[in-house]
Amino acid sequence: MNPDAFRSPVFVKRATYIVQEIASLADAIDFLNEWPGDRRDLIHEAALKACYDAYDGRIPVSAARNAFFGFARRAAILEDTTAAMQWLAACKSGGGKVQV
């Protein structure tokens, strides 16, 4: 198992109909670094610092996940995990072939 992986993913709304799974420190760091500058605040800064600290081994990965979760909730982009998982389970994966 990836030591930087979250024990359970966090789902965030990327846009109106787009939900993104944040499953690791790298995912969280990328998401936070892409967050618009005019929407950044102390909570964003704290979450990003926690992710970098966990990446460097200074704090547990679970603490960084909690910080990211708090940021997502405060930014009103947190998606209900149950709803997201039901949607993923409903999608049937095919072999990539076009069926006629």
Side-chain angles (χ1 to χ4, degrees):
M1 182 178 174
N2 177 357
D4 296 338
F6 291 162
R7 187 172 295 271
S8 60
V10 178
F11 293 94
V12 293
K13 297 174 194 168
R14 185 107 182 151
T16 304
Y17 298 107
I18 300 174
V19 174
Q20 182 175 350
E21 177 184 34
I22 306 296
S24 67
L25 289 173
D27 292 345
I29 289 169
D30 288 345
F31 187 90
L32 291 166
N33 280 328
E34 292 171 4
W35 192 249
D38 62 336
R39 294 188 63 197
R40 294 181 184 195
D41 58 10
L42 291 176
I43 295 172
H44 171 273
E45 184 180 323
L48 187 57
K49 182 182 181 322
C51 289
Y52 278 125
D53 285 350
Y55 190 79
D56 291 339
R58 291 191 289 265
I59 66 170
V61 172
S62 61
R65 184 200 178 277
N66 290 341
F68 183 83
F69 184 90
F71 157 78
R73 183 177 50 217
R74 174 79 170 167
I77 59 168
L78 189 62
E79 180 63 41
D80 176 38
T81 306
T82 308
M85 294 305 281
Q86 288 174 351
W87 183 83
L88 288 172
C91 292
K92 294 185 178 181
S93 177
K97 297 178 184 177
V98 175
Q99 296 184 10
V100 198

